[in-house]
Amino acid sequence: VQLQAFGGGWVPAGGSLRVSCAASGLTVSSYNMGWFRQAPGKEREFVAAIRWAGDNTYYGDSVKGRFTISRDNTENTVSLQMNVLKPEDTADYYCAADFHRGLWPQTQRDAYDLWGQGTQVTVSS
């Protein structure tokens, strides 16, 4: 059972990037899925989540209106489309699964049970 994040890279400020998370051994449509990020020297922070039913999404204040979380049930992936990127968006981005379908929206990292490795996003000014 694992999550594999990919798609990170370098992008100039104002640009766009899409990161995705491929799941194996679990079905993303069965769980609440989230994206977090961690910049050097900072705490891991909540970015976005999509409810297991696919009927609701939630975003952190710093990315609201710029980022979009989505899910592809056929490919069993969860993606984060990031637009109007800013240098402060530079971080390692992590996907995570909440197996308990607990509180919604769930923004606390301790509530997530499975984490993928990070994919690095660098936004240059």
Side-chain angles (χ1 to χ4, degrees):
V1 180
Q2 66 175 359
L3 300 171
Q4 181 86 23
F6 60 94
W10 176 92
V11 62
S16 299
L17 195 65
R18 184 180 183 88
V19 294
S20 295
C21 176
S24 58
L26 73 155
T27 303
V28 297
S29 59
S30 296
Y31 308 108
N32 297 335
M33 300 294 296
W35 282 97
F36 287 73
R37 67 186 182 185
Q38 187 166 18
K42 294 190 176 182
E43 296 284 319
R44 191 170 297 189
E45 68 167 338
F46 171 79
V47 175
I50 184 166
R51 193 167 174 264
W52 66 272
D55 58 350
N56 211 333
T57 58
Y58 189 77
Y59 299 91
D61 288 342
S62 61
V63 306
K64 203 172 296 183
R66 300 187 297 122
F67 289 14
T68 302
I69 188 171
S70 62
R71 192 177 72 194
D72 186 324
N73 294 340
T74 301
E75 296 293 324
N76 204 28
T77 59
V78 179
S79 296
L80 187 69
Q81 177 66 41
M82 304 181 289
N83 298 328
V84 195
L85 281 160
K86 305 175 182 179
E88 50 264 44
D89 294 318
T90 294
D92 290 329
Y93 283 72
Y94 299 85
C95 58
D98 169 13
F99 291 161
H100 299 93
R101 296 188 193 175
L103 178 70
W104 176 264
Q106 184 52 266
T107 65
Q108 299 301 309
R109 60 184 182 184
D110 290 346
Y112 288 81
D113 304 286
L114 179 69
W115 292 83
Q117 90 297 348
T119 185
Q120 188 174 49
V121 173
T122 302
V123 184
S124 66
S125 56

